[in-house]
Amino acid sequence: MTVRRVMGIETEYGVVVPGDPAANPMLASGDVVTAYAASRGIRPARASWDYADEAPLRDARGFDMGRGDAHPSQLTDTEDPTLANVVLTNGARLYVDHAHPEYSSPEVTTPRAAVRWDRAGELVMREAVTRLATVPPGVNLYKNNTDGKGASYGTHENYLMARSTPFASVVKHLTPFFVARQVMCGSGRVGIGVDSRTPGYQIAQRSDFFEVEVGLETTLKRPIINTRDEPHAVADRYRRLHVIIGDANHADVANLLKMGSTSLVLAMIEADAVGADLSVRRPVATLHEISHDPSLQTKLELVDGRRMTAVELLWEYHDRAAAFAEERSGGQPDPDTAEVLHWWSTVLDRLGRDPMEARREVDWVAKLAVLEGYRERDGLAWSDPRLKAVDLQWSDVRADRGLAHRLAANGRLEVLVDDADVRAAVTTPPSDTRAWFRGACLARFSEAVVAASWDSVIFEVPGQRMLQRVPMLEPLRGTEAAVGQIVREAPDAAALLRALATAGTDAD
């Protein structure tokens, strides 16, 4: 049993045109994508997205939603030619989604790698802002999840898991975990309610925007458990769990825990080893109540009648995961699993004693400490608009303006991945997933790559009447170890395709 699995993070960034509140966000987001693409010599028309295997209306509960019944925001399987959309040499996707620039990280296999390539996305967005600043008024970007006026945009997680796992078990065991997980991974927000109208401070940015327990939607009637069944892999073998309830994290430890603790719980679910039922009564209402209580004293009620805090429920999950890992590893869990379990227990210990003890590890606590400093210094009530301005500045992608970046630079946030590794991840793909082949092809044969997706790369080869599509349905193939020599030795795309054919393989 291990925390390792194929995973990744998608982040939509808040976009603002300074001095122009009426600016079209889709145009501004397009400028972000094209500005970054230009800085890297990427021509969007030559590295667009392959939509052939997209199926956003397929539901994990065993049916497909009709296109006529779907909200337009759900139809992500068709390309709008007016929206910028590129694939990067690190294997990531950079595009306009729901009027926001989105960075979808390449597939990785560990929580630490997820943190690394997620932070690489921040540098991508920072570069775009720097480029656009030369053409006033420029664009500002924010790694957050709400505009404070009633709109929310997502930070989604993806986890590859066994198709054989009953989806009902996923719903049963993940729902209470997600209700409680926010106390470790929430990013904090000034204001209560979807429009932040009620004064106060809460733990998570996204929680108030969730309305149902289970569903296919991602922008309306948001569910705690999303049922989109779009594996981007061998469909009868894998399921991609699409998690929409998380916040965008700046703190490395919180981001690591978000991905790692979830992966461990999924491992227990796959093995049917979670144990006694931890289901929560009124999960949606409880999700909101926990978020609204930074003291962490709110009690949730389990269906078996027990009452406990979110921290206490997370200890239940932690202890079961730790025992499971100990048993399955013979007492020697791998380093990635050990790291997640270490931080999981450390953060729960600190939150349980005094939440402020976790201000180096947890976003919402670190932000609250900064806000309380302003409140104490200037005598500010939670209704003061200056606190909302500080909240926004926290998530600014610019290194000299973003408060989270400044805290990390000053040693006030725990940093797990050093800056040099993050910078390298901006252009270098993970070596141990198919993202390596995707990214390497974009780096070496950019003129020949006309489109790509999570599970394909499409080439236009001189002398060939048809485009050549290389499938990549196995996420753990197409790695540097498997095809690196072939890719490096090929002088052009035609030679690459011949070599793959001669070797009796493709990227799969």
Side-chain angles (χ1 to χ4, degrees):
M1 178 269 191
T2 178
V3 75
R4 297 171 182 164
R5 70 176 63 238
V6 176
M7 60 180 72
I9 303 174
E10 311 166 12
T11 303
E12 298 174 31
Y13 282 72
V15 57
V16 172
V17 177
D20 188 1
N24 186 319
M26 296 181 74
L27 292 178
S29 298
D31 289 342
V32 169
V33 176
T34 55
Y36 182 77
S39 76
R40 297 292 174 174
I42 300 171
R43 291 188 295 160
R46 299 297 298 178
S48 60
W49 197 249
D50 173 20
Y51 290 87
D53 293 327
E54 302 274 325
L57 302 183
R58 187 167 299 147
D59 196 297
R61 292 169 291 184
F63 57 86
D64 284 13
M65 176 183 284
R67 297 186 76 84
D69 297 325
H71 188 271
S73 65
Q74 292 178 271
L75 303 178
T76 59
D77 56 343
T78 57
E79 182 168 20
D80 184 341
T82 66
L83 299 182
N85 193 337
V86 298
V87 184
L88 307 181
T89 59
N90 70 350
R93 182 187 185 190
L94 179 65
Y95 72 115
V96 179
D97 186 26
H98 302 150
H100 295 271
E102 176 174 315
Y103 171 87
S104 295
S105 80
E107 308 93 320
V108 298
T109 59
T110 68
R112 178 177 279 264
V115 173
R116 179 184 176 189
W117 268 273
D118 180 54
R119 282 181 52 196
E122 297 176 19
L123 298 189
V124 167
M125 295 302 187
R126 185 181 301 167
E127 174 66 21
V129 168
T130 300
R131 290 269 174 169
L132 292 170
T134 63
V135 185
V139 167
N140 282 351
L141 295 175
Y142 300 89
K143 191 186 183 189
N144 63 0
N145 298 109
T146 178
D147 64 358
K149 302 174 184 177
S152 180
Y153 29 97
T155 297
H156 297 171
E157 307 147 49
N158 297 289
Y159 305 88
L160 203 68
M161 60 182 304
R163 169 69 64 179
S164 58
T165 304
F167 195 73
S169 296
V170 176
V171 173
K172 176 182 177 180
H173 297 300
L174 271 188
T175 299
F177 177 70
F178 283 160
V179 168
R181 188 187 71 163
Q182 59 186 314
V183 304
M184 296 191 300
C185 312
S187 289
R189 172 157 71 93
V190 175
I192 309 297
V194 295
D195 58 4
S196 304
R197 190 169 301 177
T198 301
Y201 182 80
Q202 63 175 302
I203 287 170
Q205 296 198 4
R206 292 274 280 173
S207 291
D208 284 347
F209 294 89
F210 284 76
E211 301 177 50
V212 297
E213 295 177 34
V214 183
L216 188 60
E217 290 273 11
T218 59
T219 59
L220 301 170
K221 297 181 180 177
R222 293 180 180 91
I224 294 173
I225 304 294
N226 182 256
T227 59
R228 178 180 289 187
D229 189 5
E230 194 176 28
H232 300 310
V234 180
D236 61 356
R237 185 178 303 171
Y238 302 114
R239 168 179 286 121
R240 176 178 64 105
L241 184 69
H242 189 56
V243 176
I244 69 171
I245 199 168
D247 282 359
N249 291 109
H250 292 271
D252 280 4
V253 172
N255 215 3
L256 180 97
L257 281 180
K258 179 173 67 181
M259 305 301 292
S261 63
T262 303
S263 185
L264 286 174
V265 174
L266 286 176
M268 289 193 292
I269 294 172
E270 289 172 315
D272 193 21
V274 176
D277 188 8
L278 296 172
S279 295
V280 173
R281 296 188 189 277
R282 306 182 308 115
V284 175
T286 303
L287 176 78
H288 300 166
E289 291 164 3
I290 289 172
S291 183
H292 297 171
D293 179 21
S295 74
L296 305 184
Q297 297 307 302
T298 293
K299 298 276 189 177
L300 46 80
E301 184 179 357
L302 273 56
V303 294
D304 64 10
R306 286 185 291 166
R307 292 174 58 83
M308 60 181 66
T309 66
V311 170
E312 290 168 340
L313 179 58
L314 289 174
W315 270 120
E316 288 267 357
Y317 276 102
H318 169 275
D319 291 347
R320 295 181 187 191
F324 183 60
E326 182 81 7
E327 174 194 347
R328 294 299 175 97
S329 68
Q332 295 292 326
D334 61 79
D336 295 298
T337 302
E339 179 180 40
V340 170
L341 288 170
H342 161 74
W343 283 115
W344 195 349
S345 62
T346 298
V347 166
L348 290 182
D349 271 334
R350 292 174 181 171
L351 291 174
R353 288 193 301 267
D354 176 1
M356 296 310 295
E357 287 189 22
R359 60 185 175 271
R360 287 180 51 83
E361 295 84 20
V362 178
D363 292 75
W364 73 264
V365 183
K367 184 188 291 184
L368 180 58
V370 171
L371 290 165
E372 289 290 12
Y374 280 100
R375 278 167 42 82
E376 182 178 352
R377 187 191 70 183
D378 299 330
L380 303 180
W382 279 115
S383 57
D384 195 297
R386 285 174 286 183
L387 294 180
K388 288 188 177 181
V390 173
D391 190 352
L392 183 63
Q393 189 179 353
W394 174 270
S395 56
D396 195 317
V397 300
R398 294 171 293 182
D400 60 334
R401 298 295 299 275
L403 294 180
H405 297 303
R406 288 162 58 180
L407 257 63
N410 292 331
R412 294 169 63 186
L413 284 179
E414 188 76 35
V415 175
L416 300 181
V417 182
D418 67 43
D419 290 345
D421 285 342
V422 174
R423 287 193 298 271
V426 171
T427 55
T428 305
S431 64
D432 58 353
T433 70
R434 64 189 175 190
W436 190 87
F437 181 78
R438 183 189 312 119
C441 287
L442 264 296
R444 285 188 49 79
F445 314 114
S446 59
E447 291 299 315
V449 176
V450 296
S453 70
W454 304 119
D455 52 21
S456 69
V457 177
I458 298 178
F459 296 90
E460 183 177 42
V461 178
Q464 297 284 339
R465 291 191 302 112
M466 300 180 64
L467 298 177
Q468 306 296 304
R469 187 172 191 264
V470 178
M472 301 188 298
L473 287 171
E474 283 289 351
L476 293 176
R477 297 182 184 173
T479 64
E480 183 176 17
V483 297
Q485 183 175 352
I486 293 174
V487 173
R488 282 188 286 265
E489 291 180 353
D492 54 37
L496 170 67
L497 296 176
R498 288 195 300 269
L500 289 172
T502 300
T505 183
D506 49 28
D508 274 347

